[in-house]
Structure formats: structure tokens, C-alpha cells
Amino acid sequence: MSRAAHEEPDVLRLKRLGIDTYQELVIFMARSCPVCRSEGWAAQSRVQVTCNGRSIIATLNVTIDGLLAPDEASLSEAAWQLLGAQDGDLVRLSHAAPVGSLAHVRAKVYGERLTALALTEIVRDIVDGRYSDIDLAAFVTAFAGSRADPEETTALTRAMLDTGDRLYWGHSPIVDKHCIGGLPGNRTSMIIVPILAACGLTIPKTSSRAISSPAGKADAMETIAPVDLDLAAMRRVVEREHACIVWGGRVRLAPADDVIISVERPLDFDSPAQLVASILSKKAAAGSTHVVIDVPIGPTAKVRSDAAARVLDALFGTVAAELGLSLRVVHTDGMQPVGRGIGPALEARDVLAVLRRSEDAPADLRERALALAGDVLEIGGAATAGCGMARAMETLDSGAALRKFEAMCTAQGGMREPAVSALQHVVTATRAGRIEGIDNRRLARLAKLAGAPRAPTAGLELHTRLHGLVDRGEPLMTIHAETPGELDYARAYLAANPQVVELEARHDRTPNGASA
């Protein structure tokens, strides 16, 4: 559109305000904007925005006069990116057409089964940005619990797979390992990937950033090496080193997943169907042929019982078979965090300690990574049954895994040491006792209040383990923060929630607690 087009009544000029709404597409207009008035729009209206030959549907937010002029509009950062817009560009606005696939979501809310075609229409509209956050919340809620059967789950997985790019590597096996999450720390993949690559297997690892947790794999890896690689750069790294660990949001593999998760995680819904569809669509899109799934089980983990794990196992098996994936599901201990660090840099330091075979490396992280690497080596044909862990241990202890990890980092743009937080506060035991419980969810909340993952060096460092004995005044954990305010938030939360670490007294019956 030319400058003359700015005189048209449905055209506004863009002004960049730098507002991050994560995945949500938002357009901002002044309360006095004549387009708003003439079209009858108000806050939360859905507006079609066209710029440079591209169109999106965005949710209207109205600004108080002064932030934007009447003839100006702004966009959320996600909307700028999708439109390819620049500051000063002109946008044409119109009423958004009704989203037809929302009828399928309403049908699901009332208990109807959805066809593969209906699910494809829903997912396509999600990828095209036609669903508001409210619409997405309705979709997530409609599938919450066990409201989707195996056929619907398979159809949802295929729809998510078919609406994005797919990688083909020209050979097999292409392996991967994935943990379903819910356990702080547990940064095993960053150890497993170089072990597998050093053993000759190909593993193109795409990882997520944290949305509601203290760190995602991409957040932790980014404290060591660049992860924001496009598809071409990712392919170059894998072709050179047989492996990578990159941010999945930059490569368009099953893109509906990132949008759905942005609403699903804050709602804290554990939907087996969406969990399975999310994981397996991403694995298939990355070209994986053989996958190991780690399912931690514990009272404060994502999967809280053996019965729930068996339901998940069956669903994984059904969908994987339909997609032609060779799959192994492994149940692991979900009673407490894995490793000492919770937060991007702290978890990365644990990973490097294991890879470097340091004397103070977390033993539980090492053993868990070796066991899971062994499973992948076996399913991928690089080790015979029962011998995978031994080969993984040999690869780690020889230094081959470390060399491969360093080569991967170099290929991704260079390796660096994780930084250290500016502020640290040691939390000590108020009495002698035994650690009888560790609440994974509250620990994750504590690390987030300290600033993780937005502040890469923030989080927690644990100094004790479940069933460990401590004396009065002995350190239980260290809170890491980058600002005094965040450190204060974390300390206040711990004071109000001493059951984060349950301490059973050995010599008295005083109430459980830890000093903050």
C-alpha cells in the first residue's frame, strides 16, 4: 500500500511498541481511533489485519489516548513476525470472518467424537492464527482429562504433523528421546544426545523453551551455545555432527503444538491426548524413526500413579504404531528433582559436570542419562539388548561424549560457560532431621519466583536428597537470583510454604520448616 492509501478509512499506519504477548496475535488501537468507531469494534474484537500481502486475525486491545495516535496501530511481536511488517507500514483492517472450525470445538465440549477432517480444520485454523486465546482455552478444555479416544488422538497427531514442515534425512534410524516433563532439573537429553551421536546415531533434537516451568531444554542449552537456528542451519549441524540441540520454535515442525501449549500449560491440564499428539507429532516431523519416552512417576510429578502411566503407555503405543514409529516407553522415578540445579544456567552446569566427569557431578543425573541413552542405543540398533547402558558409560567415560558435545556447540555457533547469578541466599535446616518429602511443583514455583527462566542464572541449587539426613544449620538449598526483588519473592514464598522440603525431626516434634 502506498502513502496515499493511508487516506482510506480502513487503513492505519503501524507504530512498534515492543509488546510481547508470546504466541497471541494482538492489534493495539487508540480509544479515539476512527476505524474502531466506524466498525463498531471494542476491546477483544477479532480483526483481520492485512499487510504486505499477508493476513492474520488479531485480538483488539484498546490503548488510552496518547500511546497511539488516532491514525496509528501497533501489533504484538508475534503478529509483527507473522506479517513480516515493519515500523511505518500501512495495514488494512476488516471484520474477521467467523471461524467455522469452532463449531467442532463446541461439539467436542458437548461430548461428540470428532472426525479426522474436523480435527484437521481445527489445527489448520490454529496454525493460521484464527483462534484467540479464549478459543484455544476452549479447545484445550474440550480435550482435557480422557475425553479423546485413541482414534481421535491419532487424527489430532496427524493433523499437527501435516500442518508444518517435515525433515527427511535419507537414512534410518533417526533416533530421539523425550521426557514428558513435570520433574525439575532432569536435563538428561543434553547428555544423551552427544552420547548417541558419538556412537554413530543421528539425533536431530528440537527442544522447547519454558512456558510455565523454570527451564526448558532450549533455555538450558542456550546458556552454553546458540539454539535459535533456522531449518537450513539445523540441517547443516546435523549433517556435520549427526546431532543438534536447537529451539523448536524457530523451525516450523508441528507449529500448532507451540500455540496449544502456550495455553495448555498455564491451565495446568494433564490431557493424555494432547500430550501424546504434542510429543509424537514433533518427533515424526523431525524425521525420527525410533523414539524412547521417559515417563517419571511420582506424587508431585506430571504422572502421579502407575495406573495413569499405563493409560499413557497404551496411547503412546497406538499412535506410534499408526505413524510407523518404533517406540519404547520407560518409567522412571519422579519422587524428586534430578541433578542439583533448577533453572537454565544451573541445569547446564550440572550437564557439563557430568560430561566432564567431574568428581562433584550429580550422580543421579549421570545414572539416569546413561540408562536412557542405553535404551536409545538398543532401540536404534547401536547396542545389543541389555548392553546399551554399558556402551553409553564407555562413551561418556572415554571423553567421546564431551568431545561430541563441544563439536555440536561449535557447529551451532560457539560454546561458552554458563554464567553465575549475582545474588545467592542459602536456606538452612532449622533442626536436625531426615528429608521425608520434596514437592516438585512447589520447588519449580520457587525457582520461577527467583527469576527463572527469564533470568538465565536464577533458580535453585539443592544440597540434599530425599531420605537424606541433615543437621541443624546445614544447607538445604541455595536460591539464585539476579535482582533483590526476585530474591525477596522467593524467600517470602518459601516462608509461606515450608513443605517444599519436608523435614522429619530426629530429636523433637516441632512443626516442619526451613529457614528462609
Side-chain angles (χ1 to χ4, degrees), residues 13-18 66-69 72-75 80 86-89:
R13 188 174 301 281
L14 287 177
K15 176 181 178 181
R16 197 157 202 156
L17 296 177
L67 187 62
L68 289 170
E72 290 180 327
S74 190
L75 301 168
W80 284 98
Q86 301 293 324
D87 198 32
D89 281 353

Side-chain angles (χ1 to χ4, degrees), residues 431-434 503-510 512:
R431 62 182 179 279
R434 182 188 300 273
L503 184 63
E504 182 179 277
R506 285 184 286 172
H507 304 302
D508 56 57
R509 289 293 180 185
T510 28
N512 291 341

